[in-house]
Amino acid sequence: MAQKTKTIASTCWECSTHCGGHFTTEDGRVTKITPNAEHPASLGAFCVKGIRGLPELTYHPDRVLYPMRRTAERGDGQWQRISWDEALDEMCDRFLETQAKYGPLSLCGAVSNAHFSRGVSLSLLMRAFGSPNWMMNQDLCGGCRALSDKLTGLAMGNGEDIDNTNCALIVGRNPSAADPTQWLALKRAQKKGAKIITIDPARTQAADIVTAAEWYSDGPSCFVSGHGIDAFSAGVQTYRAFHALVAISGNLDRVGGNRRVKKPAGFTNYIEVIHKPEFRLPLEAEEQTIGADRFPLWAGPKGWQTACHNPSVINAILTGKPYPVRALYVTGVNIVITYPNTQKTIEALKSLDCLCVATHMMTPTAEYADLVLPKTTGLEDEEISLEANGPCLSVVQPSHPPMGEARSDFWIAGELIKRLEARGHSDARRFFPWQTKREFNEYLLGDSGIKMETLLDTGYAEYEYDLGNFARDGFKTSTGKIELYSETLAGMGLDPLPDYVPTEDTIARAETQTDFPLLLLTGAREKSYHHSRFRDQSWARKVAPDPWLQLHPDTAAAYGVVTDDWVTVETSGHDGSCRLKVRVTDETMKDVARTGMGWWYPEAAGPERGALDVNVNAALSYDGPKDPITGSSDIRGIPCRIIRTNQAAAAE
Ligand SMILES: Nc1nc2c(c(=O)[nH]1)N[C@H]1C(S)=C(S)[C@@H](COP(=O)(O)OP(=O)(O)OC[C@H]3O[C@@H](n4cnc5c(=O)[nH]c(N)nc54)[C@H](O)[C@@H]3O)O[C@H]1N2
Ligand SMILES: Nc1nc2c(c(=O)[nH]1)N[C@H]1C(S)=C(S)[C@@H](COP(=O)(O)OP(=O)(O)OC[C@H]3O[C@@H](n4cnc5c(=O)[nH]c(N)nc54)[C@H](O)[C@@H]3O)O[C@H]1N2
Ligand code: SF4
Ligand SMILES: [Mo]
């Protein structure tokens, strides 16, 4: 029989790099993915997570393909297949029961972020149920840089024009592991003679500061930054210092500098949808968003994405304060693994009245659910995104229909809206006026003049980009100027100038240094994994079988440990611990212990599946020092100690 083969231009959706590619399907399965060199943003970059991870996730024998209901105690792993109608009716009814008993604020969502349609789908769905409460993971990701960018008025996102730069200043970013597009661009720039400066505790040969300043001031220079200076208790002000440098050195919106984010006129991005007046709840409700009182620029009506402050939600679930949170819908995020304090997250999930999880695989988060809903992958869905660095719009388009009964986040939200309407909640539709994902995508395109057909044909659509348009578009701050001195922060009683001001909790914790003499850095990215994903794929486990902990040779010698020894890691102010495998290397500074994140063993005993054993978040607190603006907790620079255990890993 002749094979049916087709190739489409699409985009990898596994991480926010969004690499353009050609996806070939033979007899209903994707058999080949090749980079699209024409794609204006990724320019032919691609990585193994897209080429291997995405298809293996889609066709994995253990993938969740049908809705399931828990039939025994929470976490016992006993499931019964049910129909979508049963699952959605039950979810809607149980959310409405909780709403009737505790009020709408007792309902909450959790998602990865609002840069994908799943963030919009979830936040608008929660609003349709009357709740402003939803969690995203940006407090631990790019939240500090986003708020600094906004407060300072640059609006540049990352925006680095690496290909045209004379000097790239890389701070807290590891592009070789985290971003192949950026990595290839840096290699091209270096070949053309650009200077590269790296500020990173993981390498000691960073150029001396005077030379670095001379190189940067020659320009044009671009600032390439990352997670290494984000997601910690002084993240916003640290970023403000670098953002001020970009502004005063004249490198903003300049060829070879950092370009500002521009979108095609008439196009709406996901974060804008969330802020549109027609989709908002009454102000009195939004003001009660959990965390809006302490972190108003982060959570609630004036917040960057209006989402909650996560650790405050976990505490609300467990204590009922400031009010009870009793039902949770988790989609596109694996919070048992990726939120600090795994023990507490699990305790919170177990205590809920209702937990629904949409997922591809049985993650440790899904293990605690009452209802598990099967989710489409990036080979089965349609999604549009703005690639400001292109500049272009790119499209993810389905290579084939969903496997089993998997459905998109958008579809799930739309079906729940229908059920709310059928149960007399006629207002629900106003939060979700679109009937299909295509209709929603057309809504995003608006009157930009960019047609869906163009996107589906080439995989992307370029738009005009007007560099240095300061006079016309100004800066979106209260003064209309770049704010090195932030009027907003001054008005909140916070330091208006970028400065390192340790919080009281940070100072108190530093006093524990004698008992916890090393500094723990978490989050180093691994090429074969995306956070907690792909631990169930054998190729990835062959490349990286276990979580590692890098120690400098002198530190390792002081502790009497060698490469491949297992150690227990404990941090100041937290009872939990985790086990990691030592890697001795002089890449890491003395007295620093550096590790990754996202570890669990899908094959280990449930429901935790190693989440309390090899997951670094089991050793961290979510209640320690916090950035005063975003509420971000420290996930690096944490006083820690190590104890040699050499106990074999659960999976060994
Ligand atoms: N393969 C892969 N790629 C990914 C991901 C993944 O999971 N896997 N995740 C994606 C996501 S969501 C994110 S947020 C990014 C994160 O990726 P990056 O933005 O590159 O961030 P990290 O790898 O956390 O850290 C980058 C560097 O910062 C350094 N660093 C740590 N602390 C400090 C400090 O105090 N100061 C300075 N100057 N540097 C410091 C670290 O040693 C590290 O080399 O990667 C994205 N890309
Ligand atoms: N200690 C420590 N903790 C960290 C970090 C750190 O460096 N150190 N990094 C933080 C950062 S930067 C980030 S971004 C977070 C990441 O945190 P998470 O977003 O929780 O990480 P993932 O493993 O990517 O989990 C996403 C889950 O959603 C599923 N999924 C993927 N795509 C979709 C989709 O389209 N729809 C749905 N419904 N599900 C989908 C995946 O299969 C996976 O189970 O972790 C944070 N946590
Ligand atoms: S970097 Fe890799 S995982 Fe991320 S979008 Fe590109 S191919 Fe996909
Ligand atoms: Mo992230």
Side-chain angles (χ1 to χ4, degrees), residues 350-368:
K350 277 175 150 172
S351 77
L352 287 163
D353 292 352
C354 177
L355 173 63
C356 304
V357 177
T359 189
H360 305 118
M361 308 295 294
M362 282 311 286
T363 61
T365 306
E367 292 278 2
Y368 293 98

Side-chain angles (χ1 to χ4, degrees), residues 20 30 38 44 77 86 154 173 175 190-191 274 335 337 340-341 359 370 385 416 456 473 537 563 578 645 652:
V30 171
E38 313 281 302
E86 284 173 282
L154 307 182
R173 181 73 170 169
Q190 198 168 27
K191 224 176 179 177
I274 288 174
I335 68 175
I337 303 294
N341 200 341
T359 189
D370 303 324
S385 71
L416 287 163
L456 297 175
D473 289 1
Q537 298 192 13
T563 291
C578 83
T645 76
E652 281 185 342

Side-chain angles (χ1 to χ4, degrees), residues 16 113 137-138 140-142 145 227 525 530-531:
S16 53
N113 69 51
N137 60 22
Q138 265 49 50
L140 300 178
C141 178
R145 93 193 71 163
H227 193 228
R525 265 45 186 173
H530 191 58
H531 314 129

Side-chain angles (χ1 to χ4, degrees), residues 493-526:
L494 294 168
D495 195 340
L497 287 167
D499 196 3
Y500 177 64
V501 185
T503 68
E504 279 174 26
D505 287 346
T506 311
I507 295 165
R509 208 177 52 183
E511 282 160 11
T512 62
Q513 204 77 31
T514 5
D515 291 336
F516 298 90
L518 301 176
L519 278 184
L520 181 67
L521 306 187
T522 80
R525 265 45 186 173
E526 296 187 68

Side-chain angles (χ1 to χ4, degrees), residues 564-568 579-580 613 644-650 652:
D564 289 344
D565 274 349
W566 282 88
V567 291
T568 298
R579 288 177 328 107
L580 304 168
D613 180 19
R644 187 165 173 270
T645 76
N646 268 0
Q647 188 193 334
E652 281 185 342

Side-chain angles (χ1 to χ4, degrees), residues 206-239:
D208 75 80
I209 194 75
V210 176
T211 317
E214 282 167 0
W215 287 354
Y216 187 85
S217 63
D218 281 348
S221 300
C222 71
F223 169 51
V224 181
S225 68
H227 193 228
I229 52 164
D230 211 312
F232 82 112
S233 53
V236 176
Q237 293 291 28
T238 303
Y239 253 99

Side-chain angles (χ1 to χ4, degrees), residues 382 410 433-444:
E382 183 180 282
F410 188 92
W434 318 276
Q435 297 291 339
T436 62
K437 185 80 175 284
R438 173 60 63 84
E439 208 178 301
F440 175 70
N441 284 337
E442 300 273 8
Y443 166 89
L444 298 180

Side-chain angles (χ1 to χ4, degrees), residues 8-11 378-379 381-383 395-399 455-457 459:
I8 55 165
S10 188
T11 309
L379 298 181
D381 223 335
E382 183 180 282
E383 183 92 353
V395 74
V396 176
Q397 55 176 317
S399 287
L455 285 170
L456 297 175
D457 185 36

